Amino acid sequence: MSAPEAILELHHIEKSYAPKRWLSRGETLRAVDGVSLSVRKGETLGIVGESGCGKSTIGQIASLMLRPTGGSVVFKGEELVPGRRSPRDSRRSRIQYVFQDPYSSLNPRFTIGRLLEEPLAIRKKGTRRERRREVLRMLSRIGLDPAYADRYPHELSGGQRQRVGIARALMPSPELLVLDEPVSALDVSVQAQILNLLKDLQAERSLTYLFISHDLNVVHYMSDRVAVMYLGRIVELAEVGELYDGPLHPYTRALVDAIPDEPGTTPREAEIIEGELPDPRQLAGGCAFRARCPFAHERCGRQPLLEEVKPGHYVACHLLEPDRD
Amino acid sequence: MVGAKPSGGETVLEVRDLRLELSAKDGARLPVLEEVSLKVGRGEIVGIVGESGCGKSVLSLSVLGLLPPSIRVAGGGIYNGERKELHRLGEKSLQRIRGKEIAMIFQDPMTSLNPGMTVGKQVAEAIRLHTGASKREAEEKTVGLFRKVGLPRPETLYHEYPHRLSGGMRQRVMIAMAVSCQPDLLIADEPTTALDVTIQAQILKLMKTLREEDGTSILLISHDLGLISGVCDRIAVMYAGRIVEEGAAAEVLRHPAHPYTAGLLASLALPSKKGTRLHSIPGSVPALRERGPGCAFASRCPYAADRCLAEKPALRGVAGSAFPRSAACHLLGEEGGLANVGS
Ligand SMILES: Nc1ncnc2c1ncn2[C@@H]1O[C@H](COP(=O)(O)OP(=O)(O)OP(=O)(O)O)[C@@H](O)[C@H]1O
Ligand SMILES: Nc1ncnc2c1ncn2[C@@H]1O[C@H](COP(=O)(O)OP(=O)(O)OP(=O)(O)O)[C@@H](O)[C@H]1O
Ligand SMILES: [Mg+2]
Ligand SMILES: [Mg+2]
């Protein structure tokens, strides 16, 4: 599924975690199980899915912070090996990761100025004075008073910290940002400020975003295309309008159905899907969704493949396979 | 409009002009809640929305007498259905009320479940403590409750430890425990924030069932307007320790009277906003120490006038509304009519 304009390609990424020794049952956990994805230059590709389905794992592998147990990461036609990050390698700095919780990722003993300068200092970019000027310019760009350069992270509000997290990722002039739940910890009024900022920065700097969130409305607003994950796999991928208006996978249909209504409208009686996310360690092959799926069938005991059912619309579900059997 | 109106206006909880004060380490006394008034009728689902730090959790903790030592009731009162002054009760009397009359589901289910005891036993012990039921009766009742809250395989699940359950299952165990003694009022503080939307929908459906089958009143606390809108009869919008707007959920959300409510609604990244720039409220909520003499929202309000900086607006009735509702804003005019705010 690689398109010519792809900036980042993930090929059959797998990530397994060995069982902890003290756990009685020793199954390996397949956090990511064969994910292939191609991100187009300049687009925002949203990734949604419930807690624990592997979104952050994918994001960290895509930004070369975590080494997969299988598969490869190709950035602009060149294979890069995640996990072995040499900070001075300029190709690697083209992909940056923004953490969900900017507080725990910002060293509390460094001033904001130092935190922003560091990515440049490591790469020995410019003189100290030039770097300082860059830092001040970046602060005013993200809407913080330059006086914040001498403040510490704990003196900032959640929204301000998230601005700093984004600014820090932008310092090495990346082409691709992996945004892992960038607004989930923020209040609604501040969320909108950050989403607007991200949109503006993207337009100014022709950035490509991999946008991870479990908030379906936020993903809808931000994304051009959306991938839906369920237990380590992509179950559906399509252009955003098509995915929300005509979801095909039974899990995506349940998700879209469960989006809360616009406040103040009469609530619909949504079809509520029963059951729980199964324990990934106890999955015995086959479609991971079948235990909750109203259409589960014998053939669902086999793992369905992600296939293109309409141009640009991929689904992994036996229901949608062209009639073979 | 959602569900039933409160029958006969019977009240299960009334908070009147409540003022909570925090004693800071440097000796300063900071107002955490100011003049908060709220009523919950029998069988009513009331929502409280507001940003982080606006006082939602301290309000619910004060109802159960669970405030941290640094925060005290400095004015006003809290009354149950029998008009008992809950804020004056001693620990012993409060214990009789907690769980039996008013039960609470906390923000994080893992911290309120005992990790070393099976979930079934935890619920059964709570039942025995409050009702004096025999071991067998309590066990049977627990299994019944597990079934009622939609937990799969209740008999097996009874013997599981909390860490073996998913977040949604744990939250349902918490709900089972909270409703085990058929409380008049259930307080749920962000009960679904950690859960995905499909599980969230299940929990909200369960709350509606509890109200319909047992007449349980629910005070639902959340910062999620969509969620609140889907289940609540009435909502109160809080900002910086005060209720700034209150009324029938659909009315408030469709025609917000307070500029803050209007701003929140306009900020939502709803599907209809795709391709447009989101409205955003500039700045952020003032910290406890930064709350001045005027309206706490004035520094962020597009309509703020001199008066707003000098004087706190009182909560008062909004005219021209089919249901009783109120808002605290100088812009609403003396007659309480909606000035050209919002929309
Ligand atoms: N270091 C680790 N060791 C063992 N298991 C891990 C580790 N990191 C992640 N996992 C497991 O891998 C799975 C995927 O985790 P991941 O953090 O990618 O999920 P996620 O989709 O980002 O979830 P959330 O929405 O909660 O952030 C989970 O089951 C998680 O428990
Ligand atoms: N134990 C405590 N000690 C000191 N201050 C506290 C304590 N608990 C709460 N506060 C303060 O009281 C105010 C209200 O806090 P509260 O927890 O009620 O907010 P909230 O609306 O529930 O926020 P959130 O949405 O983040 O849960 C805040 O300013 C908070 O810092
Ligand atoms: Mg994650
Ligand atoms: Mg709280």
Side-chain angles (χ1 to χ4, degrees):
Chain A
M1 22 182 304
S2 76
E5 71 274 48
I7 183 169
L8 178 81
E9 290 164 86
L10 303 180
H11 295 292
H12 312 290
I13 298 290
E14 287 178 12
K15 179 72 191 178
S16 312
Y17 288 106
K20 290 233 170 67
R21 239 170 295 141
W22 46 267
L23 279 180
S24 47
R25 279 171 311 105
E27 297 92 349
T28 347
L29 173 79
R30 317 194 78 170
V32 175
D33 192 7
V35 166
S36 295
L37 198 61
S38 155
V39 188
R40 299 171 185 165
K41 185 161 175 41
E43 80 168 336
T44 297
L45 178 63
I47 299 186
V48 295
E50 38 202 324
S51 184
C53 71
K55 303 182 296 295
S56 296
T57 308
I58 284 284
Q60 287 169 11
I61 291 168
S63 48
L64 309 171
M65 294 161 58
L66 186 69
R67 182 152 16 160
T69 39
S72 59
V73 180
V74 175
F75 182 67
K76 295 175 111 180
E78 208 176 332
E79 184 172 341
L80 299 177
V81 183
R84 254 190 262 139
R85 179 189 270 260
S86 146
R88 274 195 268 159
D89 183 338
S90 65
R91 280 173 306 161
R92 281 153 191 281
S93 64
R94 307 264 136 195
I95 309 172
Q96 291 291 323
Y97 182 87
V98 178
F99 289 85
Q100 163 164 6
D101 173 10
Y103 198 51
S104 54
S105 64
L106 298 175
N107 188 333
R109 281 165 307 162
F110 286 4
T111 61
I112 303 304
R114 172 140 183 227
L115 284 166
L116 294 189
E117 189 189 330
E118 204 186 42
L120 297 182
I122 290 175
R123 294 179 185 91
K124 302 204 162 51
K125 273 207 170 155
T127 63
R128 271 214 73 186
R129 274 193 50 199
E130 282 164 350
R131 292 199 296 260
R132 182 78 185 172
R133 210 166 44 228
E134 274 300 301
V135 166
L136 296 181
R137 198 179 299 151
M138 180 59 80
L139 277 176
S140 64
R141 176 59 200 93
I142 57 155
L144 281 185
D145 192 287
Y148 278 102
D150 301 320
R151 302 262 200 106
Y152 289 87
H154 73 265
E155 298 176 75
L156 272 53
S157 72
Q160 289 172 331
R161 288 197 291 255
Q162 191 55 280
R163 281 172 203 267
V164 171
I166 293 166
R168 187 170 143 87
L170 286 175
M171 287 308 284
S173 312
E175 293 172 59
L176 180 99
L177 276 193
V178 177
L179 297 148
D180 193 355
E181 308 265 10
V183 296
S184 307
L186 304 177
D187 281 315
V188 180
S189 74
V190 185
Q191 249 183 37
Q193 296 171 4
I194 299 292
L195 295 179
N196 283 337
L197 175 67
L198 287 171
K199 282 268 184 200
D200 293 344
L201 291 167
Q202 182 170 40
E204 271 165 39
R205 299 164 188 240
S206 358
L207 290 166
T208 305
Y209 288 161
L210 196 59
F211 190 93
I212 298 170
S213 176
H214 66 267
D215 185 327
L216 292 147
N217 279 337
V218 168
V219 165
H220 180 269
Y221 177 78
M222 288 299 288
S223 309
D224 300 303
R225 291 192 302 148
V226 176
V228 181
M229 287 188 71
Y230 193 77
L231 283 181
R233 290 174 164 257
I234 294 180
V235 296
E236 187 158 3
L237 169 72
E239 183 269 318
V240 61
E242 175 147 340
L243 190 101
Y244 281 74
D245 293 341
L248 293 175
H249 193 284
Y251 175 62
T252 317
R253 272 149 68 179
L255 273 187
V256 169
D257 228 31
I259 300 176
D261 298 290
E262 297 220 0
T265 56
T266 320
R268 328 153 262 154
E269 274 314 314
E271 202 49 58
I272 290 176
I273 185 142
E274 296 299 336
E276 296 271 341
L277 199 60
D279 184 337
R281 283 164 305 212
Q282 290 173 5
L283 283 179
C287 174
F289 189 59
R290 70 183 190 281
R292 295 173 75 187
C293 183
F295 313 106
H297 187 270
E298 233 172 274
R299 59 189 166 176
C300 303
R302 274 184 293 120
Q303 183 70 60
L305 299 174
L306 189 66
E307 296 194 71
E308 190 165 18
V309 294
K310 289 189 218 175
H313 195 149
Y314 299 79
V315 188
C317 175
H318 290 300
L319 281 175
L320 294 144
E321 273 166 3
D323 299 307
R324 248 182 242 146
D325 32 6
Chain B
M1 208 63 24
V2 192
K5 297 278 129 20
S7 51
E10 194 192 335
T11 305
V12 295
L13 175 75
E14 180 174 359
V15 174
R16 206 192 299 149
D17 295 323
L18 185 67
R19 226 152 46 78
L20 297 184
E21 231 173 45
L22 170 74
S23 311
K25 285 200 194 81
D26 59 4
R29 302 217 153 173
L30 305 168
V32 176
L33 290 187
E34 291 175 273
E35 290 164 44
V36 167
S37 296
L38 187 76
K39 267 189 194 177
V40 182
R42 182 165 303 282
E44 202 181 16
I45 304 185
V46 177
I48 299 184
V49 275
E51 292 186 51
S52 187
C54 70
K56 305 182 294 294
S57 293
V58 292
L59 173 59
S60 53
L61 291 176
S62 69
V63 170
L64 289 169
L66 292 174
L67 285 172
S70 56
I71 298 180
R72 64 176 196 104
V73 175
I78 305 161
Y79 310 88
N80 69 356
E82 293 149 11
R83 314 286 316 144
K84 265 203 203 107
E85 300 178 292
L86 299 184
H87 57 289
R88 289 194 207 283
L89 290 184
E91 184 56 28
K92 255 230 169 100
S93 325
L94 279 169
Q95 264 173 15
R96 270 198 295 276
I97 287 180
R98 273 180 223 143
K100 208 165 180 183
E101 192 179 317
I102 304 176
M104 177 141 176
I105 307 169
F106 292 92
Q107 220 156 337
D108 176 8
M110 208 47 198
T111 58
S112 21
L113 286 172
N114 177 349
M117 200 195 276
T118 65
V119 291
K121 198 155 178 212
Q122 292 188 49
V123 176
E125 297 228 322
I127 293 173
R128 292 187 63 192
L129 186 76
H130 283 293
T131 63
S134 78
K135 216 167 166 176
R136 273 237 357 242
E137 285 166 347
E139 204 171 308
E140 273 165 24
K141 193 160 179 211
T142 303
V143 170
L145 280 166
F146 279 4
R147 189 167 292 124
K148 179 166 185 164
V149 299
L151 282 165
R153 300 169 282 109
E155 287 89 359
T156 328
L157 216 116
Y158 187 97
H159 304 286
E160 291 280 12
Y161 288 90
H163 72 268
R164 301 257 304 165
L165 309 187
S166 75
M169 290 161 99
R170 271 182 223 141
Q171 200 54 282
R172 266 180 274 196
V173 169
M174 284 300 302
I175 295 174
M177 176 140 43
V179 301
S180 61
C181 302
Q182 286 181 308
D184 297 322
L185 174 67
L186 180 64
I187 303 180
D189 190 351
E190 308 269 10
T192 61
T193 13
L195 307 176
D196 104 281
V197 284
T198 60
I199 313 287
Q200 178 175 306
Q202 294 173 4
I203 302 269
L204 294 183
K205 185 176 155 199
L206 170 62
M207 292 197 166
K208 286 191 205 170
T209 312
L210 288 173
R211 181 257 291 276
E212 262 137 46
E213 289 179 1
D214 307 337
T216 313
S217 307
I218 299 172
L219 187 61
L220 178 61
I221 295 172
S222 175
H223 63 269
D224 185 337
L225 288 164
L227 185 154
I228 288 277
S229 156
V231 280
C232 295
D233 305 308
R234 277 191 308 122
I235 62 168
V237 182
M238 285 186 72
Y239 189 79
R242 286 173 173 259
I243 291 178
V244 296
E245 176 155 15
E246 199 247 286
E251 285 267 307
V252 170
L253 297 170
R254 231 178 276 154
H255 310 291
H258 196 283
Y260 173 63
T261 317
L264 272 188
L265 286 163
S267 309
L268 293 176
L270 295 171
S272 53
K273 311 267 181 63
K274 178 99 185 157
T276 67
R277 196 175 171 75
L278 291 175
H279 168 88
S280 70
I281 305 176
S284 53
V285 188
L288 276 183
R289 279 175 201 277
E290 292 162 11
R291 289 175 195 169
C295 169
F297 188 59
S299 63
R300 308 175 74 189
C301 181
Y303 313 100
D306 291 344
R307 185 177 173 198
C308 306
L309 298 172
E311 189 188 322
K312 282 210 164 78
L315 194 65
R316 60 184 161 176
V318 174
S321 175
F323 299 93
R325 63 184 288 204
S326 40
C329 176
H330 291 309
L331 291 156
L332 289 173
E334 290 313 321
E335 63 292 345
L338 293 168
N340 51 347
V341 167
S343 58

PDB file of all heavy atoms in Angstrom, chain B residues 252-265:
ATOM      1  N   VAL B 252     -29.427  24.620  28.473  1.00  0.00           N
ATOM      2  CA  VAL B 252     -28.138  25.255  28.729  1.00  0.00           C
ATOM      3  C   VAL B 252     -27.186  25.004  27.565  1.00  0.00           C
ATOM      4  O   VAL B 252     -26.467  25.898  27.122  1.00  0.00           O
ATOM      5  CB  VAL B 252     -27.530  24.733  30.052  1.00  0.00           C
ATOM      6  CG1 VAL B 252     -26.088  25.192  30.206  1.00  0.00           C
ATOM      7  CG2 VAL B 252     -28.365  25.178  31.240  1.00  0.00           C
ATOM      8  N   LEU B 253     -27.191  23.790  27.050  1.00  0.00           N
ATOM      9  CA  LEU B 253     -26.242  23.455  26.003  1.00  0.00           C
ATOM     10  C   LEU B 253     -26.652  24.023  24.647  1.00  0.00           C
ATOM     11  O   LEU B 253     -25.820  24.311  23.804  1.00  0.00           O
ATOM     12  CB  LEU B 253     -26.057  21.938  25.924  1.00  0.00           C
ATOM     13  CG  LEU B 253     -25.470  21.330  27.205  1.00  0.00           C
ATOM     14  CD1 LEU B 253     -25.530  19.812  27.175  1.00  0.00           C
ATOM     15  CD2 LEU B 253     -24.034  21.794  27.415  1.00  0.00           C
ATOM     16  N   ARG B 254     -27.946  24.180  24.444  1.00  0.00           N
ATOM     17  CA  ARG B 254     -28.400  24.723  23.175  1.00  0.00           C
ATOM     18  C   ARG B 254     -28.347  26.254  23.166  1.00  0.00           C
ATOM     19  O   ARG B 254     -27.996  26.857  22.174  1.00  0.00           O
ATOM     20  CB  ARG B 254     -29.828  24.245  22.884  1.00  0.00           C
ATOM     21  CG  ARG B 254     -29.947  23.630  21.493  1.00  0.00           C
ATOM     22  CD  ARG B 254     -31.351  23.113  21.253  1.00  0.00           C
ATOM     23  NE  ARG B 254     -31.515  21.765  21.792  1.00  0.00           N
ATOM     24  CZ  ARG B 254     -32.688  21.264  22.181  1.00  0.00           C
ATOM     25  NH1 ARG B 254     -33.785  21.985  22.152  1.00  0.00           N
ATOM     26  NH2 ARG B 254     -32.760  20.025  22.611  1.00  0.00           N
ATOM     27  N   HIS B 255     -28.719  26.847  24.295  1.00  0.00           N
ATOM     28  CA  HIS B 255     -28.720  28.314  24.378  1.00  0.00           C
ATOM     29  C   HIS B 255     -27.967  28.767  25.623  1.00  0.00           C
ATOM     30  O   HIS B 255     -28.592  29.202  26.592  1.00  0.00           O
ATOM     31  CB  HIS B 255     -30.156  28.846  24.429  1.00  0.00           C
ATOM     32  CG  HIS B 255     -31.036  28.281  23.362  1.00  0.00           C
ATOM     33  ND1 HIS B 255     -30.865  28.592  22.025  1.00  0.00           N
ATOM     34  CD2 HIS B 255     -32.062  27.404  23.415  1.00  0.00           C
ATOM     35  CE1 HIS B 255     -31.781  27.933  21.315  1.00  0.00           C
ATOM     36  NE2 HIS B 255     -32.504  27.199  22.137  1.00  0.00           N
ATOM     37  N   PRO B 256     -26.653  28.622  25.621  1.00  0.00           N
ATOM     38  CA  PRO B 256     -25.893  28.997  26.820  1.00  0.00           C
ATOM     39  C   PRO B 256     -26.095  30.472  27.143  1.00  0.00           C
ATOM     40  O   PRO B 256     -26.131  31.312  26.238  1.00  0.00           O
ATOM     41  CB  PRO B 256     -24.444  28.713  26.422  1.00  0.00           C
ATOM     42  CG  PRO B 256     -24.434  28.693  24.926  1.00  0.00           C
ATOM     43  CD  PRO B 256     -25.776  28.180  24.521  1.00  0.00           C
ATOM     44  N   ALA B 257     -26.240  30.770  28.434  1.00  0.00           N
ATOM     45  CA  ALA B 257     -26.440  32.157  28.837  1.00  0.00           C
ATOM     46  C   ALA B 257     -25.131  32.787  29.291  1.00  0.00           C
ATOM     47  O   ALA B 257     -24.939  33.976  29.172  1.00  0.00           O
ATOM     48  CB  ALA B 257     -27.476  32.228  29.963  1.00  0.00           C
ATOM     49  N   HIS B 258     -24.234  31.985  29.823  1.00  0.00           N
ATOM     50  CA  HIS B 258     -22.968  32.523  30.319  1.00  0.00           C
ATOM     51  C   HIS B 258     -21.902  32.446  29.214  1.00  0.00           C
ATOM     52  O   HIS B 258     -21.811  31.439  28.515  1.00  0.00           O
ATOM     53  CB  HIS B 258     -22.512  31.722  31.539  1.00  0.00           C
ATOM     54  CG  HIS B 258     -21.451  32.418  32.322  1.00  0.00           C
ATOM     55  ND1 HIS B 258     -20.144  32.454  31.918  1.00  0.00           N
ATOM     56  CD2 HIS B 258     -21.512  33.130  33.479  1.00  0.00           C
ATOM     57  CE1 HIS B 258     -19.436  33.153  32.802  1.00  0.00           C
ATOM     58  NE2 HIS B 258     -20.248  33.569  33.758  1.00  0.00           N
ATOM     59  N   PRO B 259     -21.107  33.488  29.072  1.00  0.00           N
ATOM     60  CA  PRO B 259     -20.083  33.479  28.012  1.00  0.00           C
ATOM     61  C   PRO B 259     -19.098  32.312  28.144  1.00  0.00           C
ATOM     62  O   PRO B 259     -18.573  31.836  27.126  1.00  0.00           O
ATOM     63  CB  PRO B 259     -19.338  34.802  28.212  1.00  0.00           C
ATOM     64  CG  PRO B 259     -20.265  35.663  28.987  1.00  0.00           C
ATOM     65  CD  PRO B 259     -21.139  34.766  29.802  1.00  0.00           C
ATOM     66  N   TYR B 260     -18.869  31.842  29.365  1.00  0.00           N
ATOM     67  CA  TYR B 260     -17.961  30.711  29.526  1.00  0.00           C
ATOM     68  C   TYR B 260     -18.566  29.450  28.926  1.00  0.00           C
ATOM     69  O   TYR B 260     -17.918  28.723  28.166  1.00  0.00           O
ATOM     70  CB  TYR B 260     -17.641  30.487  31.005  1.00  0.00           C
ATOM     71  CG  TYR B 260     -16.836  29.229  31.251  1.00  0.00           C
ATOM     72  CD1 TYR B 260     -15.560  29.081  30.716  1.00  0.00           C
ATOM     73  CD2 TYR B 260     -17.367  28.172  31.992  1.00  0.00           C
ATOM     74  CE1 TYR B 260     -14.829  27.925  30.931  1.00  0.00           C
ATOM     75  CE2 TYR B 260     -16.642  27.017  32.209  1.00  0.00           C
ATOM     76  CZ  TYR B 260     -15.373  26.896  31.675  1.00  0.00           C
ATOM     77  OH  TYR B 260     -14.658  25.750  31.880  1.00  0.00           O
ATOM     78  N   THR B 261     -19.831  29.184  29.237  1.00  0.00           N
ATOM     79  CA  THR B 261     -20.506  28.009  28.668  1.00  0.00           C
ATOM     80  C   THR B 261     -20.503  28.107  27.144  1.00  0.00           C
ATOM     81  O   THR B 261     -20.208  27.133  26.444  1.00  0.00           O
ATOM     82  CB  THR B 261     -21.959  27.921  29.174  1.00  0.00           C
ATOM     83  OG1 THR B 261     -21.991  28.213  30.561  1.00  0.00           O
ATOM     84  CG2 THR B 261     -22.536  26.545  28.925  1.00  0.00           C
ATOM     85  N   ALA B 262     -20.822  29.296  26.650  1.00  0.00           N
ATOM     86  CA  ALA B 262     -20.845  29.500  25.202  1.00  0.00           C
ATOM     87  C   ALA B 262     -19.463  29.237  24.603  1.00  0.00           C
ATOM     88  O   ALA B 262     -19.331  28.586  23.562  1.00  0.00           O
ATOM     89  CB  ALA B 262     -21.303  30.921  24.881  1.00  0.00           C
ATOM     90  N   GLY B 263     -18.418  29.717  25.284  1.00  0.00           N
ATOM     91  CA  GLY B 263     -17.054  29.527  24.805  1.00  0.00           C
ATOM     92  C   GLY B 263     -16.658  28.063  24.778  1.00  0.00           C
ATOM     93  O   GLY B 263     -16.029  27.586  23.830  1.00  0.00           O
ATOM     94  N   LEU B 264     -17.031  27.336  25.839  1.00  0.00           N
ATOM     95  CA  LEU B 264     -16.724  25.904  25.899  1.00  0.00           C
ATOM     96  C   LEU B 264     -17.365  25.168  24.732  1.00  0.00           C
ATOM     97  O   LEU B 264     -16.725  24.360  24.054  1.00  0.00           O
ATOM     98  CB  LEU B 264     -17.286  25.299  27.181  1.00  0.00           C
ATOM     99  CG  LEU B 264     -16.469  25.312  28.452  1.00  0.00           C
ATOM    100  CD1 LEU B 264     -17.175  24.474  29.500  1.00  0.00           C
ATOM    101  CD2 LEU B 264     -15.071  24.768  28.203  1.00  0.00           C
ATOM    102  N   LEU B 265     -18.633  25.438  24.525  1.00  0.00           N
ATOM    103  CA  LEU B 265     -19.353  24.748  23.454  1.00  0.00           C
ATOM    104  C   LEU B 265     -18.753  25.070  22.097  1.00  0.00           C
ATOM    105  O   LEU B 265     -18.623  24.197  21.240  1.00  0.00           O
ATOM    106  CB  LEU B 265     -20.835  25.131  23.493  1.00  0.00           C
ATOM    107  CG  LEU B 265     -21.603  24.484  24.648  1.00  0.00           C
ATOM    108  CD1 LEU B 265     -22.915  25.202  24.897  1.00  0.00           C
ATOM    109  CD2 LEU B 265     -21.852  23.006  24.332  1.00  0.00           C
TER     110      LEU B 265
END
